[in-house]
Amino acid sequence: TAGITQAPTSQILAAGRSMTLRCTQDMRHNAMYWYRQDLGLGLRLIHYSNTAGTTGKGEVPDGYSVSRANTDDFPLTLASAVPSQTSVYFCASSDSGTHTGELFFGEGSRLTVL
Amino acid sequence: GQNIDQPTEMTATEGAIVQINCTYQTSGFNGLFWYQQHAGEAPTFLSYNVLDGLEEKGRFSSFLSRSKGYSYLLLKELQMKDSASYLCASSDSNYQLIWGAGTKLIIKP
């Protein structure tokens, strides 16, 4: 069972360039999330989507955008990358949009912005 | 403000018992989660508590006291594969998850 697939696994990006991190799930979950994880900090929510066609801002949305055209896909775009966006990015999904259910995470995308 | 506190690192011996504590301060409360994350891997769900008390699931148990804003994860019969980070997260009144920085658990033979 694939679950959640993220791509790329890792990427080095020059500052100022754009980048899209891809996320696909095959569990037909309504809710999807993008988190970033930095050393010494808890996971921080960037954007979320409770259902296809809707998105919302999380704790740290600046510099990022998302779209949810269908149930399965939830790409994260960095329009003009900056070094502070160097991080590990996790996509996650859940059956429920109310964060009372288990989150299923992808394997992560390690992004380095130089 | 909203805050989750948990120890940065703990060390325990194979076969022993370890308790990882978590205190939380969130605007409202809709449950407390524990996740396990091995180095370089994705977090995986361990437990969810919304009522006071102890929930047991095999070698792992999770406890919640809502009045004290406190939870702990209890790991029994420790195995080397339990070496990982353990993440505590509280769901606030808007059902947003507030995450702790994680406790790195080191198991020694």
Side-chain angles (χ1 to χ4, degrees):
Chain A
T1 305
I4 294 191
T5 303
Q6 289 185 232
T9 303
S10 66
Q11 182 76 43
I12 298 174
L13 188 65
R17 302 297 294 267
S18 66
M19 174 79 196
T20 294
L21 303 180
R22 299 183 298 279
C23 175
T24 300
Q25 55 114 349
D26 64 2
M27 297 175 284
R28 308 303 293 171
H29 284 168
N30 284 319
M32 297 188 75
Y33 312 87
W34 273 105
Y35 285 94
R36 60 178 289 173
Q37 187 174 42
D38 301 290
L39 199 62
L41 298 178
L43 287 163
R44 291 183 290 170
L45 183 64
I46 304 170
H47 284 287
Y48 65 93
S49 169
N50 286 333
T51 189
T54 70
T55 62
K57 293 181 179 180
E59 181 186 355
V60 288
D62 294 344
Y64 306 95
S65 63
V66 292
S67 62
R68 187 87 184 277
N70 56 60
T71 298
D72 299 342
D73 300 301
F74 191 44
L76 177 74
T77 297
L78 289 68
S80 180
V82 294
S84 62
Q85 292 178 310
T86 293
S87 188
V88 180
Y89 292 86
F90 286 101
C91 180
S93 73
S94 70
D95 236 354
S96 163
T98 60
H99 267 135
T100 55
E102 176 182 353
L103 283 178
F104 294 83
F105 286 86
E107 291 302 311
S109 296
R110 182 176 295 275
L111 181 65
T112 302
V113 182
L114 301 175
Chain B
Q2 307 203 98
N3 194 48
I4 304 283
D5 283 318
Q6 52 181 133
T8 302
E9 187 175 297
M10 298 182 70
T11 302
T13 304
E14 190 177 15
I17 299 172
V18 71
Q19 177 175 313
I20 302 174
N21 296 324
C22 170
T23 57
Y24 63 90
Q25 292 175 306
T26 54
S27 302
F29 180 75
N30 281 299
L32 194 291
F33 292 84
W34 284 96
Y35 281 78
Q36 181 189 59
Q37 185 177 25
H38 285 100
E41 298 183 8
T44 55
F45 172 82
L46 287 177
S47 66
Y48 171 65
N49 294 64
V50 67
L51 300 176
D52 287 353
L54 186 69
E55 298 260 353
E56 297 187 71
K57 199 184 289 187
R59 294 189 299 113
F60 291 11
S61 302
S62 56
F63 171 83
L64 177 68
S65 168
R66 296 181 61 155
S67 63
K68 295 181 179 178
Y70 168 69
S71 173
Y72 67 73
L73 182 68
L74 190 72
L75 292 74
K76 302 176 184 176
E77 301 168 15
L78 286 170
Q79 302 176 10
M80 297 304 292
K81 67 179 182 180
D82 297 330
S83 292
S85 288
Y86 292 85
L87 314 181
C88 173
S90 175
S91 179
D92 70 10
S93 59
N94 293 319
Y95 295 97
Q96 295 299 312
L97 281 181
I98 310 301
W99 294 82
T103 299
K104 182 178 180 180
L105 178 63
I106 299 168
I107 309 296
K108 295 186 174 180

